[in-house]
Amino acid sequence: RLKKADYRVYGPAIPLTSHRVHLPDGRRLAYVDYGEPTGQPVLLFPGTPGSRLQGHPDRSIPATIGVRLIGVDRPGYGLSDNQRHRTLLDWPADVEVLADHLGLERFAVLGISGGGPYAAACAWKIPQRLTTVSLVSPMGPVDETKAVADMPWLNRLLLTLAKWGDWPVSLLAAALVTLARQRPDWYLALLNAHLPSVDRDIYIRPPIQTALKEDLAEALRLGSHGAVRDIVLLANPWPFSLQEIQVPVQLWHGEQDATVPVQIGRAIATALPNCQARFVPDAGHLLVIDRWRQILADLCQAIDSAHSFKSAENP
């Protein structure tokens, strides 16, 4: 476990090279690939809104743990072409194309916040391709928990509008995107006004603010299409059941999370048949920042355990 003093130490900036793979329907899917080239492959699905750049400002960490980290833009974000009327279960097909392009037979997926449902969708639809799953501060099915009532007013408003489809929420999302592009400091201040002190203490660190602004600008490069569709999918019933997922899942959630209340994480952990959950008392929604190294290390350990189990089954 890291000491508190270690949390504020960040390595040198590592520039990322973006790539795109062509999908069968003509769209392009964007990604970055860094860390240890021969390490455990982990596909990272960012939060909402978020881009392939999301993760941690210290991009040297994955390599030190033996992780090959692949950040992916969902359709409508960053450099990934938009996909109208996409569903949660459309995503695993895109992921398989990317994995085949990279020569990955099996891999782990890591979903942060609004990326959590997409990691769960992969666990449900393509379990044979996955070694394990990590969910960090994940959003869950809103129809199965009353926790939405405890969210900040803006989150509640967006999810309420999204119940009616893309068009109602797109008006508010377009206004928020305009604010984010023209006044990113104001936009982040609006989002972070409700944060508990544990998250505010992280947010004020200059490397974190720089990383958040970089990710936000890239995520909204194409406008609000990606975010609008994400919100609609998050607000409506999922087309699969968490109870049917058999892939091993690691879940991390801060008990002081105000953005995605911890009740949601607890509900997900209860529903999943094979879940190792960690609820951190002194952490909020930005738990991923101070616990990134441990999250990746635990993910690697889970992959090694899964490999050992399969080897024992097939001597």
Side-chain angles (χ1 to χ4, degrees):
R1 184 178 297 274
L2 293 175
K3 296 179 181 179
K4 199 75 174 180
D6 295 332
Y7 293 164
R8 297 176 184 273
V9 179
Y10 302 107
I14 297 177
L16 299 180
T17 301
S18 296
H19 310 272
R20 287 196 285 193
V21 59
H22 287 268
L23 302 170
D25 63 0
R27 289 182 295 113
R28 294 163 300 176
L29 191 72
Y31 66 96
V32 292
D33 186 351
Y34 61 103
E36 173 52 53
T38 61
Q40 297 284 8
V42 178
L43 272 61
L44 187 152
F45 306 154
T48 301
S51 78
R52 64 196 181 281
L53 306 181
Q54 199 175 94
H56 193 283
D58 187 346
R59 292 170 179 156
S60 69
I61 291 176
T64 66
I65 299 172
V67 167
R68 178 185 178 186
L69 195 66
I70 302 149
V72 193
D73 282 341
R74 287 191 292 279
Y77 285 114
L79 293 174
S80 286
D81 296 325
N82 191 37
Q83 181 184 21
R84 295 188 64 192
H85 309 303
R86 63 180 168 90
T87 70
L88 283 176
L89 291 181
D90 287 331
W91 180 241
D94 287 358
V95 168
E96 283 202 285
V97 173
L98 175 59
D100 291 343
H101 172 74
L102 295 172
L104 305 177
E105 181 179 351
R106 300 186 73 218
F107 48 91
V109 294
L110 191 162
I112 301 174
S113 189
Y118 295 91
C122 289
W124 185 86
K125 193 167 183 179
I126 54 170
Q128 74 282 0
R129 300 296 300 266
L130 303 188
T131 52
T132 191
V133 176
S134 183
L135 304 177
V136 182
S137 309
M139 184 63 180
V142 299
D143 57 323
E144 297 179 18
T145 176
K146 304 298 183 184
V148 174
D150 297 327
M151 289 183 175
W153 68 270
L154 183 57
N155 292 27
R156 295 198 309 272
L157 178 58
L158 286 167
L159 291 172
T160 299
L161 291 173
K163 289 284 187 182
W164 300 94
D166 291 33
W167 183 79
V169 74
S170 66
L171 297 177
L172 177 56
L176 291 172
V177 167
T178 299
L179 177 64
R181 284 174 158 175
Q182 297 182 0
R183 292 286 188 272
D185 289 325
W186 294 6
Y187 174 82
L188 290 172
L190 175 65
L191 292 188
N192 297 329
H194 64 278
L195 291 182
S197 59
V198 290
D199 277 339
R200 288 198 301 270
D201 289 345
I202 294 173
Y203 173 71
I204 62 174
R205 303 175 197 170
I208 303 304
Q209 291 195 32
T210 299
L212 286 172
K213 290 177 183 177
E214 177 188 34
D215 175 53
L216 181 63
E218 184 57 29
L220 302 177
R221 174 195 287 262
L222 299 177
S224 60
H225 304 295
V228 167
R229 195 61 188 157
D230 266 4
I231 295 166
V232 170
L233 296 179
L234 295 177
N236 287 280
W238 293 10
F240 60 91
S241 171
L242 289 170
Q243 287 85 349
E244 297 172 350
I245 292 175
Q246 298 299 320
V247 178
V249 177
Q250 306 253 319
L251 185 146
W252 290 76
H253 214 121
E255 293 188 356
Q256 298 187 45
D257 194 335
T259 305
V260 179
V262 70
Q263 303 97 288
I264 293 178
R266 295 191 190 282
I268 294 173
T270 299
L272 289 168
N274 191 5
C275 179
Q276 183 177 11
R278 294 170 176 78
F279 298 101
V280 186
D282 61 341
H285 195 63
L286 298 180
L287 166 148
V288 68
I289 299 298
D290 283 353
R291 288 160 178 86
W292 186 229
R293 187 181 296 275
Q294 189 176 355
I295 289 168
L296 293 181
D298 283 5
L299 188 58
C300 284
Q301 185 175 6
I303 295 171
D304 291 339
S305 297
H307 286 165
S308 298
F309 180 74
K310 283 193 172 293
S311 298
E313 279 189 323
N314 303 286

